[in-house]
């Protein structure tokens, strides 16, 4: 059975178009990282409502812990960050030198 050239060209165009749509998403996803973690007290109980600020020369990102003490900061530009945890009733905690690389997920725990 002979396949006509226009069918092969159409199939090639569809495949190329699909790669063109997918390729930019992969490139973008690999250019930033994520900072996430949990904040607990000395008795390992989650602390809700903690403000988290990740600061570097490239920018600042903020988040707040949920009821389980968890937080996530997406789209963090690669750099070395100072991460500050603060909430009323507790002394602020600072973690320096938190390095975010392209495509990485940095996990922090604050006690």
């Amino acid at each position: 059975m002979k396949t006509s050239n226009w069918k092969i060209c159409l199939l090639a165009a569809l495949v190329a178009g699909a790669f063109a749509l997918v390729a930019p998403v992969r490139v973008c996803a690999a250019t930033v990282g994520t900072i996430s973690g949990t904040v607990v007290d000395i008795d390992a109980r989650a602390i809700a409502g903690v403000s988290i600020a990740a600061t570097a020369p490239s920018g600042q990102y903020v988040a707040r812990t949920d009821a389980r003490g968890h937080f996530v900061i997406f789209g963090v530009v690669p750099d070395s960050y100072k991460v500050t945890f603060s909430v009323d009733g507790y002394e602020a905690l600072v973690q320096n030198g938190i390095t975010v690389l392209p495509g990485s997920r940095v996990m922090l725990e604050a006690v």
Side-chain angles (χ1 to χ4, degrees):
M1 211 176 215
K2 189 173 182 183
T3 305
S4 62
N5 286 339
W6 72 270
K7 288 181 182 177
I8 294 172
C9 289
L10 178 62
L11 180 60
L14 290 173
V15 170
F19 280 115
L21 292 174
V22 174
V25 173
R26 284 188 174 166
V27 171
C28 292
T31 60
V32 294
T34 301
I35 299 174
S36 63
T38 305
V39 181
V40 297
D41 65 14
I42 58 171
D43 296 318
R45 292 183 302 233
I47 305 175
V50 176
S51 296
I52 297 99
T55 308
S58 60
Q60 180 176 12
Y61 301 87
V62 295
R64 188 173 296 275
T65 58
D66 64 15
R68 297 176 304 168
H70 296 226
F71 70 94
V72 179
I73 306 172
F74 294 106
V76 181
V77 174
D79 207 335
S80 181
Y81 287 85
K82 174 176 86 171
V83 180
T84 304
F85 302 85
S86 59
V87 67
D88 289 341
Y90 293 88
E91 185 176 328
L93 173 68
V94 177
Q95 294 184 7
N96 291 301
I98 305 302
T99 302
V100 176
L101 301 173
S104 70
R105 181 175 181 132
V106 178
M107 300 289 292
L108 301 178
E109 184 171 318
V111 180

